[in-house]
Amino acid sequence: MESETKSEIINATNRVLCEHGYAGLTMQKIADESAMTTAAIHYHFDTKEELLNAFLDILIERFKAKISSEATDPRKRLTAFLDGVFTPTTPDSDGFPVAIMELKAQAPFHDLFRERFLDLDEVMREVVADIVADGIDEGHFKQTDPDEVARLVTTTINGAHTRKVALGEPLDETRHVLENTLELHLGWQPGSEVVA
Amino acid sequence: MESETKSEIINATNRVLCEHGYAGLTMQKIADESAMTTAAIHYHFDTKEELLNAFLDILIERFKAKISSEATDPRKRLTAFLDGVFTPTTPDSDGFPVAIMELKAQAPFHDLFRERFLDLDEVMREVVADIVADGIDEGHFKQTDPDEVARLVTTTINGAHTRKVALGEPLDETRHVLENTLELHLGWQPGSEVVA
């Protein structure tokens, strides 16, 4: 559950990570960025690691909400999933890959971060595998291994985020390549119009 | 050109990055790890950024050597490329994705790092696109867009490295998925035996 104060701390953390990286992240910088005192931040989070765990929890919750879809047609669900992953919804969320990358690079040194990334990865793979399996059952997609397609999709998304951060490449470049590859796997290209 | 001393500094830097991350990297830790004095390291590199630029240069040179192949058959060249990317050659190079990831996460804050990653990416994409174009010309691969296949391959490799670092997932898991996808694009699965 996000209280307003926690949200403010979390958004400030996102901005500090995007501007200074993990190496430059301090409680003082988060305080400056959020117009709160470090004491107020410490009231909510004892340590930097605790704050960053909460940060990851909230980012992951927001992301799960973003990739879920009201649609029932697996083709529409797949397009909605890719929209959720590749389209930043707010100027703040455009920095999401940078903030996440900063913490992914810390995963070898922080087991709790790694657990969260494993959780996020599992969620993403399950969502995609479900969509693909349903699409095959309903005759929209070619026969293929849903788990393997899910692994390809999540790995490509990981790569897209890395390229955005390391190379400054827009996420859309990867989306286009992924959609063409999915067409080979599924016999249907995400984003094509679905006539109900 | 790698002198012995520079190699020692570079290998020590790799170990410090793998153990402590970018945030924990200091000249002192590199000195401890290499059994050199910080003064000796400063004689070669004025600043940490200069040292890390040299580190990236050398890693990229080693990587280029690793993905080049004596073979002429495009199928063998593609298999050799994937071997070079996915198989660590020494215990030290097993940490390569961690060290690289630490610096990729710094790319938004260091233009010189970003330039090196852009250079590396271009080299990888050119190697793959060349192999694919030759394979099509020689009738081994199906007609497809070599640049797009190259982009898919490099993005998947970026994702594989991220997964290794963030999730602890072995690189081989991604290799398998990438090979199956390449079979769809090329009509030939890398790693299959080539009868000359």
Side-chain angles (χ1 to χ4, degrees):
Chain A
M1 185 76 79
E2 290 186 45
S3 73
E4 209 172 303
T5 315
K6 277 205 174 176
S7 284
E8 196 179 337
I9 298 173
I10 293 304
N11 290 335
T13 304
N14 187 41
R15 290 193 294 273
V16 173
L17 275 176
C18 291
E19 249 178 77
H20 305 281
Y22 177 85
L25 184 88
T26 59
M27 292 292 208
Q28 185 58 56
K29 284 211 186 95
I30 296 171
D32 295 345
E33 191 66 50
S34 66
M36 292 173 72
T37 62
T38 53
I41 296 171
H42 274 294
Y43 174 81
H44 290 280
F45 304 104
D46 275 343
T47 63
K48 198 166 96 168
E49 189 169 34
E50 204 181 292
L51 186 153
L52 288 171
N53 273 321
F55 174 75
L56 277 179
D57 277 341
I58 289 178
L59 247 54
I60 288 171
E61 282 314 309
R62 287 184 192 171
F63 187 70
K64 283 182 190 169
K66 218 177 147 195
I67 61 175
S68 74
S69 160
E70 303 277 293
T72 51
D73 188 309
R75 294 166 296 181
K76 286 186 180 170
R77 279 157 63 205
L78 187 55
T79 302
F81 172 84
L82 295 176
D83 285 343
V85 167
F86 285 109
T87 317
T89 41
T90 65
D92 253 14
S93 69
D94 189 45
F96 173 81
V98 175
I100 282 288
M101 180 85 166
E102 289 298 314
L103 300 182
K104 278 184 179 167
Q106 292 301 317
F109 319 109
H110 298 272
D111 287 346
L112 286 174
F113 294 178
R114 171 159 290 171
E115 276 170 31
R116 273 159 183 83
F117 287 123
L118 283 166
D119 173 42
L120 175 61
D121 186 62
E122 205 180 314
V123 169
M124 281 175 69
R125 280 195 284 125
E126 273 176 12
V127 168
V128 177
D130 268 2
I131 294 173
V132 172
D134 289 350
I136 295 169
D137 283 351
E138 295 175 24
H140 300 304
F141 300 156
K142 282 199 305 198
Q143 198 64 45
T144 184
D145 179 343
D147 290 326
E148 193 167 309
V149 174
R151 191 173 276 281
L152 174 73
V153 170
T154 48
T155 304
T156 312
I157 291 167
N158 297 148
H161 282 170
T162 305
R163 297 177 72 79
K164 162 99 177 154
V165 175
L167 310 179
E169 183 176 280
L171 293 177
D172 267 354
E173 302 243 355
T174 305
R175 177 176 187 159
H176 170 77
V177 172
L178 178 58
E179 284 178 347
N180 287 344
T181 291
L182 281 173
E183 188 174 10
L184 290 178
H185 281 270
L186 307 177
W188 177 78
Q189 183 167 55
S192 324
E193 208 175 335
V194 176
V195 182
Chain B
M1 187 77 78
E2 290 186 48
S3 73
E4 210 173 300
T5 315
K6 276 204 175 177
S7 283
E8 196 179 335
I9 298 174
I10 293 305
N11 291 334
T13 304
N14 186 42
R15 290 193 294 273
V16 173
L17 275 175
C18 291
E19 251 179 73
H20 306 280
Y22 177 85
L25 183 88
T26 59
M27 290 295 208
Q28 184 59 55
K29 284 212 185 91
I30 296 171
D32 295 345
E33 190 67 49
S34 65
M36 292 171 73
T37 62
T38 53
I41 296 172
H42 273 295
Y43 173 80
H44 290 280
F45 304 105
D46 275 343
T47 63
K48 197 166 97 167
E49 190 169 33
E50 203 182 293
L51 187 153
L52 288 171
N53 273 322
F55 175 75
L56 277 179
D57 276 341
I58 288 178
L59 247 55
I60 288 171
E61 282 313 310
R62 287 184 193 171
F63 187 70
K64 283 181 190 169
K66 219 177 148 197
I67 61 175
S68 73
S69 160
E70 303 277 293
T72 51
D73 188 309
R75 294 166 296 182
K76 286 187 179 168
R77 279 156 63 204
L78 187 56
T79 302
F81 173 84
L82 295 175
D83 285 342
V85 167
F86 285 109
T87 317
T89 42
T90 66
D92 253 17
S93 69
D94 190 44
F96 174 81
V98 175
I100 282 287
M101 180 84 165
E102 288 299 314
L103 299 183
K104 277 184 179 166
Q106 291 303 316
F109 318 110
H110 298 273
D111 287 345
L112 286 174
F113 295 178
R114 171 158 290 170
E115 275 170 32
R116 272 159 183 82
F117 287 122
L118 283 166
D119 172 43
L120 175 61
D121 186 63
E122 205 181 314
V123 168
M124 283 176 67
R125 281 195 284 124
E126 273 176 11
V127 168
V128 177
D130 267 2
I131 294 173
V132 172
D134 288 350
I136 295 168
D137 284 350
E138 296 176 22
H140 301 304
F141 301 155
K142 283 198 306 199
Q143 198 63 45
T144 185
D145 179 344
D147 290 326
E148 194 166 310
V149 174
R151 190 173 275 281
L152 174 73
V153 170
T154 48
T155 304
T156 312
I157 291 166
N158 297 148
H161 282 169
T162 306
R163 297 178 72 79
K164 162 99 177 153
V165 175
L167 310 178
E169 183 176 279
L171 294 177
D172 267 355
E173 302 242 356
T174 304
R175 178 177 186 158
H176 170 77
V177 172
L178 178 58
E179 284 178 348
N180 287 344
T181 291
L182 281 173
E183 187 174 11
L184 290 178
H185 282 270
L186 306 178
W188 177 79
Q189 185 168 56
S192 324
E193 208 175 335
V194 174
V195 182

